[in-house]
Amino acid sequence: MFGQAPPAIGKIADWLQYLKAVDSSSRAGELMHKSLLEDGNVCNGYGEQARQFIESQPATVHPQGAQGTYHGLLSHLKANGCRYCDPYNDGNRLSAAAFGRFARVVSAEAFAQHNLTPQVKTNRRSLRRAVGAELTANRISAIGGDTRRLVGQIGSDPSFAARSESVQPQADGSFDADEIRNRLGLDDARNFPRRTWLVVMRYREAQVPDGTCYRPTVLDAGWYPAFRPSPPGPPAPGWTQHLQTGGRGCEEVIHAPLDANQLDAFDLIGPLGTDPPDAYKAVRLATTP
Amino acid sequence: MSILEIVQHIDRSTPTELAARVAVDLDSPSPRIGAKGPPDRPGPEEDYVVAVEQLQDEDAAASLDKLGRAINSLLLDEVKAIQLTGRMARPLLLFNVCALLETVALPVVSQGLRDLRQSAEPLAAALREQGENVYSRLLLAHSVNQAKTSDDEQFWLGLLSDPDPLKVAGGVVGIRECGFETAMKYLPLVEKKHWEHREVLGEFSGEIMLLVDTYADRHWPECAEPFYPAYHESRIRELIEDYAARRYTPEDDELHQVAGSSVAAFATADGDDQLAALADGTPLQIKEQVSDLWRDNSTRPIAERDRDAFRLICVAAHRWSQARDAESRDQWLDALCYALRPAAQQWLKRFDRALDYAWQRIRQRHLDPQADVQALAGELVNYCKSGLSHRLRQRLTQVLGSAGSPPPAPQVLSQQFDSRVAFSAVVREAG
């Protein structure tokens, strides 16, 4: 991300070392550290702003502080207009038409909270009461697949998405939800644990705002250790990291969110039979760019 | 911090230390801020949500009380900051605390939330440039953590009369969460507000879903009957009855087991033993047993009933596959369908989204569901795959897969099924 090797001493070096130690049990800090160093798709201007921001911060003295600085950095960049859709990021810009049909996968609970009824009147407790997962699935099924009845948007800004063909059913027509989660690199035991349901949202390039999508960078992923930077080069989709194998999962892009009632269709799949695997971590940390 | 570390910290810290820890953990950006759709990552409050749910499961009242006091002190700090400066001191912290409190109920915190609810303007302004309204979030959190006093009720009713639709939305949630009686009493008013602010509140049918699911332990739709006379010309009754009829209703034993008692029963069921034990039955006897099984379904434990239903299906499928002459095959196929239908109705009622999904797939493949029993059997297997245990899936795949070995051509099956009670009828009814 820094466009060149970070300095061996100084604030940035200290910060990176503390960042590496964040949440050592899950190795989250190590993974984030590696991604920050390796991502060559962050444009130089943003990399320089990141340097300046970290240099301007008080010296880091513990891992939590380093993580806090990273959150601060993301807020700072956002406040200064450094966004994926900025002209400076043209090196990651793609035509949505080249990507074809899109699929975005979210947890059924999040879908129920944001897309079934207006968010302003849906507290999450109502989704978790009783047997939350089944009630949620039931509530989603109650609208009968009618996308026109959906509210809100398909995600936050930016929204990650894969090709629709990466989230297809198997030969017998059923979905292997666990494999889909793993292929998409959805490593979040809080959003995607076993027994939860997933919603696959499907839409076409015509629905993508401005017909434009982008290769994601580490800055777009936020604090997300399962993100793996794509090889630098001409604009091309990024790649997810398969949670089970640590290899490439499928192509992914980011784009501005669209209204959920514009979706072509959505599938409810699951429930997940396993918690997210973390086999990818060892593979990732052992891999040189 | 991991969830275990959070729980340990709650147990071992003083409320002051705990408040400081919560402030460090939750005073950070969240993917939820400004999100108008499902974010790709959870917010920083998520680990605390899990930790609180864990403590609630363990009935750790003292720990929950301590956490409630710690969070309440943070809320009161914010009240003081607003009184002094007119602005919020830590909007990110309050946003994430509200995200926590809209998900779980904690003791004590209603006090701080009640004080903060008077600060609509500073809260609404705090994260406005990020597309977020912290006051709306506060109302969601307060709805879950309210004392349900007449004062609270009046506050929510006041919001319902506000010209700002976002405050009306807060009033709708507050009234819904203010207790079953209160929610039902003011339902016509809530319906009226939906007409007035539909662009923000959405369809009223969505509110009925939320209401019914909020009071999931009630017997719907019967529990609503005393209120119907006051609803006059409203569609409330129709909407409640419609959703209650389609809604998955967990039974007591399902609520108290992690994976559901039926799944557990299936996991331990050994069909082979039962097949051997019932090998001498006739198709008619199987059908009689099926009838008896479902006739007394109001008294039998659901797990036991499902297990027996599954075994009868296995027996019928097994005997169908073993039948040597056409007449016998025909009779056993009839028995198999007879066993499948009520079981499928019950199972699909509990997992009806799977049925919807199966039905969509059948339509997408342009199959005639009445004609293709193999496809329908496959859908049942798929349904089981998504809703029940791996063991059951394997077993059904085995018995249904071998039932027509070699599988009869769809046309033959179509003729055999022509005038029978086909599994497809179940699909069609629910679809």
Side-chain angles (χ1 to χ4, degrees), chain B residues 106 108-111 113-114 117 141-153 156 174 177-179:
Chain B
L106 281 174
V108 188
V109 295
S110 64
Q111 182 198 349
L113 292 167
R114 197 176 55 239
R117 76 189 187 193
H142 190 24
S143 71
V144 172
N145 290 277
Q146 59 175 303
K148 300 182 183 176
T149 59
S150 59
D151 175 56
D152 282 339
E153 187 177 319
W156 302 122
E177 294 279 355
C178 203

Side-chain angles (χ1 to χ4, degrees), chain B residues 237-301:
Chain B
R237 178 177 192 153
E238 179 192 334
L239 290 170
I240 288 177
E241 290 181 349
D242 177 56
Y243 183 58
R246 289 183 292 117
R247 177 176 170 275
Y248 165 66
T249 307
E251 303 204 17
D252 285 348
D253 52 356
E254 285 181 272
L255 287 174
H256 296 107
Q257 289 194 28
V258 173
S261 56
S262 305
V263 175
F266 283 130
T268 56
D270 188 343
D272 290 335
D273 293 345
Q274 297 300 315
L275 293 179
L278 294 168
D280 294 330
T282 64
L284 186 60
Q285 286 171 330
I286 294 294
K287 288 167 74 170
E288 285 172 349
Q289 288 183 53
V290 170
S291 297
D292 292 341
L293 177 70
W294 294 106
R295 192 174 296 133
D296 67 346
N297 64 5
S298 60
T299 55
R300 296 195 68 190

Side-chain angles (χ1 to χ4, degrees), chain B residues 370-390:
Chain B
Q370 279 187 293
D372 195 335
V373 70
Q374 290 292 77
L376 291 165
E379 297 306 337
L380 177 60
V381 173
N382 285 335
Y383 146 70
C384 293
K385 182 176 181 179
S386 58
L388 295 178
S389 71
H390 179 66

Side-chain angles (χ1 to χ4, degrees), chain B residues 84-209:
Chain B
L84 283 173
T85 67
R87 296 173 55 199
M88 288 190 66
R90 293 185 284 192
L92 295 178
L93 173 62
L94 184 61
F95 178 88
N96 292 324
V97 164
C98 288
L100 169 66
L101 295 180
E102 74 161 272
T103 314
V104 294
L106 281 174
V108 188
V109 295
S110 64
Q111 182 198 349
L113 292 167
R114 197 176 55 239
D115 289 356
L116 267 175
R117 76 189 187 193
Q118 310 303 333
S119 306
E121 280 310 310
L123 266 64
L127 294 175
R128 187 175 285 149
E129 75 280 5
Q130 295 185 48
E132 192 54 68
N133 186 325
V134 182
Y135 190 65
S136 288
R137 299 298 185 149
L138 178 90
L139 295 178
L140 288 177
H142 190 24
S143 71
V144 172
N145 290 277
Q146 59 175 303
K148 300 182 183 176
T149 59
S150 59
D151 175 56
D152 282 339
E153 187 177 319
Q154 288 308 310
F155 172 71
W156 302 122
L157 287 173
L159 289 181
L160 282 182
S161 306
D162 199 282
D164 181 352
L166 285 178
K167 290 186 181 173
V168 175
V172 168
V173 191
I175 286 291
R176 187 200 310 138
E177 294 279 355
C178 203
F180 173 74
E181 301 281 336
T182 306
M184 296 303 289
K185 179 180 169 185
Y186 293 111
L187 206 46
L189 178 59
V190 169
E191 183 184 25
K192 186 179 163 208
K193 293 297 166 186
H194 274 76
W195 281 109
E196 290 174 14
H197 301 288
R198 195 170 175 174
E199 75 289 353
V200 170
L201 299 180
E203 292 181 29
F204 181 61
S205 58
E207 177 61 24
I208 294 295
M209 284 200 292

